Every structure is written in C-alpha cells, then in structure tokens.
Amino acid sequence: MQVVGLRYLKGAYAMKFRIKFSKEGHLKFIGHLDLLRLMQRCIKKAELPVAYSKGFNPHQLIYIALPLSLGATSEGEYMDIELTEDSLMTETEIKDKLNAVFPAGLKVEKVSHVKDKAKSGMAAVDGAEYKVFISKEKMPVYFNEKTEAFFEQKEIWIEKTGKKETKKINIKDKIYRYCVQEDKDFWIIHLLLAAGSKDNLKLETLIEALYQYIALDYNGYDIDIHRVDIYSEVDNQLIPLSNL
Amino acid sequence: MTKLRIADKILKQVEKPARYIGQEVNSVIKDKNKVDIRFAFCFPDVYEVGMSHLGMQILYYFLNKREDTYCERVFAPWTDMEEKMRENHIHLFALESQDEIKNFDFIGFTLQYEMSYTNIINLLDLAGVSPWSKDRKEDDPIVCAGGPCAYNPEPLADFIDFFYIGEGEASLNQVLDIYKEHKKQGGTKEAFLEKLLDIEGIYVPRFYEVKYKDNGLIESFTPIHKKAKAKIKKQLVKDLDDSYYPSKVILPWIQTVHDRVNLELFRGCIRGCRFCHAGFVYRPVREKSKEILIEQGKKLLKNTGYEEISLSSLSTSDYSAFKEFSEELLETCQKAGVNISLPSLRIDKFSIDLMNKIQTVRKSSLTFAPEAGSQRLRNVINKRITEEDILKGSQFAFEGGWDRIKLYFMIGLPTEKEEDILEIKELAYKILDTFYSIPKEKRARNIKIVVSSSCFVPKPFTPFQWEPQCRYEDFMDRQNLLKKSIKRKEIQYNYHDATISSLEGLLSRGDRRVGQVIYYAWKYGAKFDSWTEKFNMAAWKKAFELTNIDPAFYANRKRAYDEILPWDHISIGVSKAFLIKEHQKALDEKTTPNCREKCAGCGAKIFERGVCHEIQN
C-alpha cells in the first residue's frame, strides 16, 4: 500500500542507490573499464529502470566509487546507480535482479538508498582498506621485523615520477593503519590507506617502497591484493560507504 | 568456478588476461563426464577478434544444443602468453573447461582469412599434436576446418583431416552423429574418415592424389578411394527462417571489434561484383523474414543487455523488405533505448533519410565503396554504381550534415591503367566540389574525405580466378602515382604496404605444395601475419628458398581456362562456364544485371531455394 502511494510523489522517492559488491576469483582479471561495460550489460539484462545522461551518446548513470587494480580481488566495491523518476524498486529487488544476471565471481552484498543531497560515492571516498598476501616462500626470515621497521619510520619518502620531473614525497601520513600478520603460507599486511580525490596513496607504490626498504626486488605479480572496504570520513571517523 | 589453467602469477604478467579465463556471461558450461563428444572450436586469432565473429557464435550454440556434445572455444594466445605457455610447458586449452584440447575428439578451425594459416600450425603445435595430418597419432584429436577459405582447401590439405565445405548448420550434425556411433563401436581414425565419404560436403584430402607436370601445373587430381567423390558439393541452409539462430551470444570480457547484437538479414548477394569471393561462394541469396528478424533481435537484446544492434549481410539495402523492416526495427529499438548501426548501405536518398532518423546525435563518417575510379573499370568489375549515384549520394549526405566521407578503392584490378587510377583522384575532387557547391548555411563548415585503397587479390571461384595479381613493385608504383596526384588538403589518402596482399595472393590460390611454405614460414617464426607489427617477411622468404617455391607462380601468373585449378574438385553451385563467361564480359567491359533484375544463369539455382526461385514464382 505504502509503495503505491509513493508512485505519485515524484522526487520524494529515492532514486539513487549504492550497491556494495564483491569481485572475487577470476573476475580479478577484468579491468575497470571492462567491469563498467559488464555492469551496463547486466543492468540492462536485469531490466533495472536505470536513468540515462542527456545529450550526445546517452549513457547509463552509474558510477564506480574507486577503480580496483587489475589482478586484485575485493569484498567491498561500490557502484552508485540512478534509476528513472517513476521507477519503484526496493533494495532487495535490485539486489536479487542483479545477482540473477551477474557472472560467478561478482555478487551484490548490500544495496542502500542514497539521499538526494548526499555526496556521490566517488566524492565520498577518503580511505581504502586492503589485505596484501605475500608468500613466505622466497622471503627472508627478517621480513616481519623489517616490515615493522619500515612502517615505524617517522617519514617514508618515495620518488614520484611525473611527466617532467621526479618529486620526492613523504607518504607516512597517508598510511592510516597497518598490521602485519603471520599465516601458514603468507605474510598478510593489513592496510588502511588514504584514497580518493583529496588524498590518495596507491597500494602498489607503498609495497614497492617496502620492498626497496628491505632490499628485495618487486615485480608486482608475486603478491595478491584484496580490498576489504572503502571508507568515508565523517566527524573524524572512517565509515564504510555502505553505512553512510 | 572452474579452476584456471594458467596460474595467477602468469596471468598478472600478460596483456589482457581476460582473454584466457572463459566463463563469460552466456557461455556454456557442461559436465564433461556427461557428454560423448568434446569439440574445440578454434578461431586462429586473438580473443577479441574471434569473439567478434558471428559465425562462431552461431555454431557454438548450434553444437552445444546437442546434449552429447560440448563445444568449447579456443583462440590464439597473444605472443606474450605463448611465450609463458611454452616456458612452463602448458598445452593449448579450451576456455570453458580449461582442459587441454589434445584430449578432445575434434579440433575444428574456422578459416576466415588466409593470413591466419601460420597461426593454425602454431595452435596445433601449442596443443601438443603434430601439425601434419599423417604424423598425428590414433588418440590425437581429429582436426577439421571450414569457413570461407575452405573453398580452396589445398594449401592446408596436409594439415587437416577433413574439410567441411559450406554452412555448418546444414550437415555438421550428421558428421557428429556418425562420429558418436563410430566412437561407440571403436575403430581407427582412418575408418571414421572413410565413413565421412558418404556425406555430401566433406572433403578428406588423404583420399585424393595430385600429380604435377614438369612445368609445375597440375596434371591430374584423382580420388584414390572408391567412395571418394570426384566433386565435393557445398552444403547450405535452404531456409534461414527454419534454421537455427541463437537467442543469445557470449558477452566478451573485453572490448571487441563488434561489441553489439548482430542480426543476420540474409546470406549471399545479388550483385555479382566480379572481384568478390563472398558474392559467389554464398550464392544464392536467402533471406530471413522480417517477422523472424524482429523477434530474434528482441530476444538477443533481452538476453545480452546490449544497447546497440547491427545488421549483418553483404549488402543491407538489398534486403527486399528493407523499408518496412527498418521502420519496424527503428520503432522497436527506440522503445528499448537501443542504437542501430547500419553497415553496407547503398548511399541513396532513402538510406540518408534513414540514417538521419537513426543518428539524431553525432554524425559519424559515411562510407562509399566505388572500388574503382573510372566507369570503365567499374564496368570491368561489375560494380554497377555510377559517378552520378556517388555525387548525388554525397550531396544528400552533405545536406544532411555529414562532414566526413570515406571512399574505398582497390588498386591493381584487371585491365587497370594509369588513367583509371587518376580517376580516383578526379572522383574525390568532384565530391569535394559537390560539398562546396552547397550554400554554406546548408552544410557543415569543414569537410574531410578519406580515400583508402587496398591491393586487389584474385580469389578462387570468382571470374578473376585466372588473372595474374599485380607484382609488389607495381602495387607500390600505382599507389605512389595516386598519392602524388592528390593535392587538395581536405583529402587524405591511406594505403597499405603491398607485402601482405602479395602473400595473400599466393595463399588464396595455392595448391597442396604451398602447405610446405606455410609450415616452414611458421618454423622460421611467422605467426599473426595479419598483424602488421608481427608480420615477418624474412621468415616467408626463407621458406620460399628452402621449399623452392616461387610465389610468382601462384600470385602473378595468368592461368588458361583449361588448366586444372587446385580447387576444381570443390563445387559451389556456380558453374565454371559461367565464371568464364563473366571473365570474358569483364574484359569486354560489359556488366551483368543483378539476380533480381535478371537471372544470369550462374548455376546456383540447383539449390532449389533463394532468389533464383523467388523470381520465377
């Protein structure tokens, strides 16, 4: 009954939704732009009443909060979607419809309303949490110790190569939290890093600096990266985008 | 989730790893223990090229419709992945199950262009089986091939166990039925191939013997098995409305060349352009009905989520109910928020109006394919489009707001002279003048004309199959002549290096002996020959030297009508007598009406359906 009433209250009904999804298994090999294309097909296939941009080449109004590197898995990805004004869909419906068409490895975890005036997912991003799995094989015994020492430095300087010049920057204050955990086969480094448009630290850059510190060769393919969640800062606290 | 054949560590080191993982939306996953036949469908090029190919998508679902068969896809790994596979002793695998294809029942190649031949050798080698048919063992898969290039199967005859001549939907099921029975009973591969001799359209090269004269020409081509047919007849789908068409397609993980729904309007072409291989081998024209098309289009859009649909055929405007069909399609698509793209349109007022309706947004460029610059040469090739048509079409386009026109030509056509080439320039200039003759407020501000020329390659089963191809230097001279003559800055001229076309000239009309060249070219490093950056002419040159084969004998030699051609044992329904007549008419600069205007008596009427009978009724 309530829902029928809402149909006539144009604009009062929330049309923006935030979809939290996971991207696991072989889906790690689908890059950001290809994922976006896949999402467009799935949304259309699921017959969600998605809204389109105006003007030349109309496109679906969907936005992925923070691109994930090719090769990484995640249990905390976010996509905002805008539905057409007269559509009536509940969070559960959206979740079920998408999960029915998603390929294995892609799964909607949670759908939530986004208030009209709320920041977009993209603009809200302030931090991202990761787990980095490093195989213990081939790693020196002092890996743990050295890693702790690396993160405990007062300042961590890296070289950033731009178009024209190479700059030195201190990334220490972009690392919000770290923890090194020992597992049977892996060292697992838990990290919470600055992310988004205000301040950003690329995970790979940090790991490369760590390897350099320990005097190891970094090749990028021996480690596994997993994103845990994406956060927004509210009153000096980092809150998952799905809980805003 | 299926376990991937390639380790993550390797996938993270190669370009576009999504090429190798399978499990896309709409791909077919079966329990491999519950099927009788494992079929590896190989497209001998990279994933994103192969995944654009409509024929493969049709046959993939067609074969998988059988409960006893599991058809899986295989593409050529890009060179970075191949290196890793060889380094780590990983055999070629199929995308769906990720299983090695050397344990499959069939490895089937689709032959879309000659420049993929070295990739076929490479894929067999990567699979861990010998490329040579005679050297493969009893428990190795049966290797087969089909597709447009199979109409001259000879260059690959020593590598392939059997060729399927024609359209797969017609009798591929029969082949699999025979195989299933054969497998159940047990028996040698040879025995199975013998059983295939009962089916029309199957060519088993090992049951034929070729003898050569001292001068290199073919002396005889004879069956050496009592059941082997002297003529192998092309198989085709008689009624496209009744024929299988998938209601979905696989959504490629990465962007492909044609990333959209493809709706096949008809097969064949009424035009009879004399250079066009497809125009002869796919005869006669068979159309799908408008109702079936709309229904198939709707289903495909629903099951794929695509937002673009493209019409596929050799000449879209020739669809007999095109006006009614396009109106209905437009209405359907506008409701569903789907774009239409229309390739192969004849440029006339109707088409331009239609495109205006479709492209309410940005106008992309418009393409004309006059193929030859002068009317004389257009008559030779039977491209019956006049200068007036082209200029009128351009005028409509300019008045409709288009500001970019692409023009396609061929260089090196039979009887071509300097003045024919210069006429290309003249035509481009006239189109430019047409643009400027329109008042400024009625046209775009700027204009760009792109003239592209390709190098003519004479193809089997066309009236030009006896013609010599231009030599490399000749091609380059003619291109240079045109390049120098074009002076107006609004015109851009694109041309290709003729090396690849020259090689294509050898492969497309090659005989069995050419197989050696392909093999050694591969051995010396040739692969991905159609990729300019991978093309390795040095490898081919070494192969010519080693095998003592002169490419000019195949590419640049004029053949006599009574010469035995390597593909003479294949029958496409179009008679040799007709091709000779067409060749004569070409030399006399006379044109032939299209199939709907007047039947030219090509011979395709024997198929009992299609345009030939439409006219009589």
Side-chain angles (χ1 to χ4, degrees):
Chain A
M1 290 302 283
Q2 202 183 355
V3 174
V4 174
L6 283 169
R7 186 186 289 271
Y8 301 97
L9 298 171
K10 269 203 174 171
Y13 193 74
M15 287 161 298
K16 270 191 223 160
F17 291 90
R18 181 155 302 152
I19 295 165
K20 181 179 185 179
F21 63 97
S22 56
K23 186 170 176 261
E24 306 270 5
H26 60 265
L27 256 293
K28 71 169 87 132
F29 297 115
I30 311 304
H32 176 67
L33 289 176
D34 291 325
L35 178 71
L36 208 58
R37 277 181 36 253
L38 176 64
M39 285 295 184
Q40 288 163 1
R41 312 269 187 266
C42 288
I43 287 166
K44 193 90 183 168
K45 218 183 144 177
E47 296 178 343
L48 292 186
V50 62
Y52 284 80
S53 67
K54 306 268 181 316
F56 294 141
N57 292 326
H59 58 266
Q60 294 182 3
L61 296 179
I62 58 171
Y63 309 92
I64 288 180
L66 187 64
L68 184 67
S69 307
L70 187 69
T73 54
S74 174
E75 60 194 279
E77 292 303 287
Y78 291 91
M79 175 174 73
D80 285 1
I81 177 170
E82 250 177 72
L83 300 184
T84 54
E85 276 195 11
D86 51 356
S87 57
L88 292 174
M89 284 226 136
T90 64
E91 292 94 324
T92 329
E93 269 177 299
I94 295 174
K95 183 177 168 184
D96 292 347
K97 278 188 178 239
L98 278 178
N99 277 336
V101 296
F102 271 174
L106 212 54
K107 197 175 157 229
V108 177
E109 303 291 346
K110 191 180 169 187
V111 178
S112 41
H113 270 159
V114 181
K115 286 193 198 90
D116 255 359
K117 282 176 196 152
K119 271 189 199 169
S120 74
M122 241 186 285
V125 176
D126 292 308
E129 186 186 347
Y130 297 93
K131 278 190 226 173
V132 182
F133 296 80
I134 299 173
S135 170
K136 277 163 130 182
E137 209 189 339
K138 287 194 246 169
M139 275 297 149
V141 279
Y142 52 81
F143 178 80
N144 188 6
E145 212 175 294
K146 280 275 191 180
T147 304
E148 297 272 355
F150 169 79
F151 284 110
E152 289 307 321
Q153 297 174 92
K154 278 211 179 83
E155 292 168 339
I156 301 177
W157 290 91
I158 59 147
E159 277 189 359
K160 200 175 172 187
T161 332
K163 271 179 201 146
K164 278 184 186 157
E165 42 171 13
T166 308
K167 275 193 301 193
K168 281 203 153 201
I169 52 167
N170 176 15
I171 55 168
K172 172 77 189 203
D173 56 356
K174 298 174 198 288
I175 307 168
Y176 297 152
R177 223 158 49 198
Y178 87 92
C179 159
V180 186
Q181 180 197 342
E182 187 171 1
D183 195 50
K184 197 164 138 276
D185 302 317
F186 295 99
W187 292 108
I188 305 172
I189 308 180
H190 297 257
L191 288 163
L192 184 57
L193 306 178
S197 49
K198 278 158 268 163
D199 198 5
N200 193 59
L201 174 59
K202 234 182 126 202
L203 177 70
E204 288 85 347
T205 313
L206 174 65
I207 302 296
E208 202 178 339
L210 168 69
Y211 271 58
Q212 215 168 43
Y213 180 82
I214 316 179
L216 292 169
D217 285 335
Y218 177 71
N219 59 27
Y221 53 78
D222 272 331
I223 60 163
D224 287 313
I225 298 170
H226 179 76
R227 185 139 76 193
V228 179
D229 215 331
I230 300 171
Y231 298 88
S232 188
E233 195 185 313
V234 181
D235 304 329
N236 281 326
Q237 266 200 319
L238 287 174
I239 295 172
L241 289 193
S242 53
N243 296 356
L244 285 179
Chain B
M1 256 185 252
T2 315
K3 191 179 177 308
L4 300 179
R5 168 75 34 187
I6 307 285
D8 278 18
K9 195 175 156 173
I10 293 176
L11 286 168
K12 283 179 186 171
Q13 293 175 68
V14 298
E15 243 179 75
K16 304 186 185 174
R19 286 165 170 166
Y20 312 105
I21 62 176
Q23 305 169 69
E24 300 93 328
V25 174
N26 290 343
S27 61
V28 177
I29 297 295
K30 289 189 178 181
D31 181 347
K32 53 197 180 199
N33 300 313
K34 287 187 181 148
V35 295
D36 300 307
I37 305 169
R38 306 275 313 259
F39 196 106
F41 198 125
C42 299
F43 193 105
D45 211 317
V46 280
Y47 177 85
E48 56 273 37
V49 175
M51 284 300 289
S52 298
H53 184 241
L54 179 60
M56 183 177 201
Q57 297 257 14
I58 297 176
L59 289 178
Y60 175 78
Y61 289 107
F62 175 78
L63 291 173
N64 275 320
K65 212 175 64 168
R66 292 175 67 110
E67 273 182 24
D68 60 1
T69 304
Y70 192 0
C71 171
E72 305 182 44
R73 293 161 298 146
V74 179
F75 300 98
W78 191 241
T79 46
D80 58 350
M81 177 55 104
E82 184 190 335
E83 214 174 278
K84 297 278 172 207
M85 286 170 71
R86 290 195 186 274
E87 211 177 280
N88 295 285
H89 309 288
I90 302 166
H91 283 138
L92 189 63
F93 57 95
L95 289 186
E96 277 72 5
S97 65
Q98 300 272 311
D99 285 344
E100 294 184 346
I101 62 169
K102 66 181 291 204
N103 301 319
F104 279 40
D105 297 282
F106 290 98
I107 298 179
F109 288 100
T110 170
L111 310 178
Q112 295 299 319
Y113 31 88
E114 292 85 355
M115 303 317 288
S116 66
Y117 287 177
T118 51
N119 273 12
I120 292 175
I121 312 292
N122 198 39
L123 288 180
L124 288 170
D125 184 68
L126 259 177
V129 300
S130 169
W132 299 102
S133 185
K134 64 174 170 37
D135 293 340
R136 280 193 293 269
K137 301 184 200 76
E138 255 327 296
D139 57 355
D140 284 338
I142 291 157
V143 179
C144 55
C149 293
Y151 290 103
N152 176 19
E154 289 308 283
L156 294 175
D158 289 334
F159 309 112
I160 305 292
D161 297 325
F162 75 88
F163 289 89
Y164 181 97
I165 309 297
E167 296 165 351
E169 305 98 314
S171 40
L172 211 45
N173 268 332
Q174 225 178 323
V175 173
L176 295 185
D177 289 342
I178 291 179
Y179 179 76
K180 191 178 165 186
E181 196 52 39
H182 172 82
K183 196 178 174 184
K184 217 185 276 169
Q185 289 169 358
T188 61
K189 203 187 270 182
E190 181 99 355
F192 167 66
L193 294 172
E194 280 177 26
K195 286 177 191 165
L196 286 187
L197 295 176
D198 292 332
I199 317 180
E200 293 284 358
I202 301 293
Y203 169 52
V204 186
R206 70 176 67 175
F207 296 136
Y208 297 81
E209 187 184 49
V210 199
K211 286 200 177 115
Y212 303 94
K213 297 179 194 167
D214 290 342
N215 61 7
L217 300 184
I218 295 173
E219 188 182 332
S220 65
F221 185 97
T222 30
I224 48 171
H225 188 287
K226 58 181 190 308
K227 276 172 34 183
K229 297 178 170 66
K231 280 267 181 197
I232 321 288
K233 288 187 197 140
K234 165 179 90 179
Q235 297 301 294
L236 57 73
V237 173
K238 287 191 175 160
D239 190 339
L240 283 183
D241 277 350
D242 277 347
S243 160
Y244 177 76
Y245 202 72
S247 54
K248 55 187 173 183
V249 289
I250 299 171
L251 296 184
W253 284 130
I254 51 180
Q255 181 106 53
T256 59
V257 193
H258 299 292
D259 204 10
R260 55 181 89 97
V261 165
N262 260 306
L263 207 50
E264 190 187 23
L265 298 184
F266 58 92
R267 293 186 187 170
C269 179
I270 58 169
R271 300 273 146 189
C273 301
R274 292 179 180 129
F275 54 85
C276 180
H277 183 247
F280 291 94
V281 299
Y282 294 132
R283 283 182 182 214
V285 166
R286 289 144 295 146
E287 291 189 344
K288 275 189 202 170
S289 70
K290 177 176 85 119
E291 292 70 30
I292 296 271
L293 283 170
I294 297 283
E295 189 195 312
Q296 287 177 348
K298 279 184 186 163
K299 267 193 203 155
L300 279 161
L301 287 169
K302 186 175 159 58
N303 292 332
T304 58
Y306 273 125
E307 295 177 314
E308 188 176 349
I309 191 165
S310 174
L311 302 180
S312 167
S313 74
L314 292 167
S315 168
T316 309
S317 310
D318 288 333
Y319 182 65
S320 52
F322 189 55
K323 191 170 174 290
E324 299 79 6
F325 168 67
S326 56
E327 277 162 10
E328 202 172 328
L329 184 73
L330 197 62
E331 204 191 303
T332 311
C333 289
Q334 274 169 350
K335 259 189 234 154
V338 169
N339 292 319
I340 308 176
S341 79
L342 293 170
S344 310
L345 269 195
R346 195 167 52 243
I347 306 299
D348 52 21
K349 180 138 195 334
F350 173 72
S351 309
I352 299 285
D353 286 347
L354 181 63
M355 277 186 275
N356 272 328
K357 270 189 236 162
I358 289 169
Q359 296 192 318
T360 43
V361 287
R362 200 156 35 93
K363 308 229 147 119
S364 56
S365 70
L366 213 61
T367 308
F368 287 98
E371 309 293 359
S374 68
Q375 193 60 53
R376 185 198 71 80
L377 197 51
R378 282 197 295 273
N379 289 350
V380 169
I381 62 175
N382 203 36
K383 182 88 193 184
R384 291 164 64 223
I385 174 176
T386 63
E387 186 175 292
E388 205 195 331
D389 296 333
I390 297 168
L391 294 181
K392 265 225 174 96
S394 314
Q395 183 161 356
F396 288 137
F398 294 143
E399 286 168 355
W402 267 271
D403 60 357
R404 234 181 112 88
I405 289 206
K406 282 192 212 158
L407 298 169
Y408 287 142
F409 296 95
M410 268 185 272
I411 295 280
L413 287 163
T415 78
E416 180 184 72
K417 290 180 194 65
E418 226 182 88
E419 46 281 24
D420 297 306
I421 293 171
L422 293 174
E423 288 265 349
I424 295 177
K425 176 206 79 175
E426 291 301 326
L427 185 59
Y429 277 23
K430 280 178 193 162
I431 293 175
L432 207 50
D433 293 339
T434 305
F435 175 80
Y436 287 118
S437 72
I438 300 169
K440 268 188 188 157
E441 61 281 7
K442 286 189 179 160
R443 55 158 166 89
R445 196 135 53 104
N446 297 309
I447 172 78
K448 173 140 197 183
I449 298 177
V450 181
V451 173
S452 296
S453 73
S454 60
C455 302
F456 171 64
V457 181
K459 295 276 168 164
F461 294 110
T462 65
F464 294 149
Q465 63 179 353
W466 296 280
E467 284 286 333
Q469 187 189 19
C470 258
R471 285 176 184 274
Y472 173 80
E473 299 75 22
D474 250 355
F475 274 131
M476 299 316 279
D477 286 350
R478 291 179 197 205
Q479 286 175 347
N480 278 327
L481 174 74
L482 182 54
K483 191 180 155 197
K484 275 190 210 141
S485 76
I486 296 176
K487 299 220 166 63
R488 294 175 72 169
K489 63 177 189 326
E490 302 94 323
I491 303 172
Q492 179 192 328
Y493 176 44
N494 292 339
Y495 59 99
H496 311 277
D497 185 277
T499 324
I500 293 181
S501 309
S502 299
L503 204 54
E504 195 186 325
L506 153 75
L507 295 176
S508 61
R509 289 188 295 170
D511 56 28
R512 265 189 203 196
R513 293 169 294 188
V514 169
Q516 292 282 342
V517 181
I518 299 169
Y519 177 79
Y520 282 103
W522 166 74
K523 197 99 196 153
Y524 292 132
K527 60 186 143 196
F528 287 110
D529 293 311
S530 58
W531 294 73
T532 325
E533 76 268 30
K534 296 283 171 199
F535 182 65
N536 180 351
M537 192 57 202
W540 284 96
K541 281 197 172 137
K542 269 168 89 179
F544 293 140
E545 271 166 39
L546 188 90
T547 56
N548 222 349
I549 278 176
D550 175 15
F553 176 82
Y554 295 96
N556 315 116
R557 181 173 60 87
K558 186 166 179 63
R559 287 133 169 99
Y561 290 142
D562 61 359
E563 181 178 330
I564 297 176
L565 300 172
W567 51 92
D568 272 351
H569 57 290
I570 307 287
S571 160
I572 61 161
V574 174
S575 71
K576 200 173 193 174
F578 173 75
L579 294 177
I580 291 174
K581 202 168 103 193
E582 278 295 294
H583 185 224
Q584 286 298 330
K585 279 174 92 177
L587 299 179
D588 292 343
E589 300 167 12
K590 290 207 172 82
T591 61
T592 300
N594 76 46
C595 298
R596 285 216 174 89
E597 290 167 329
K598 185 172 182 277
C599 174
C602 73
K605 210 169 182 171
I606 52 159
F607 293 107
E608 295 165 349
R609 293 286 173 90
V611 67
C612 323
H613 299 271
E614 183 182 294
I615 280 158
Q616 266 197 338
N617 296 342

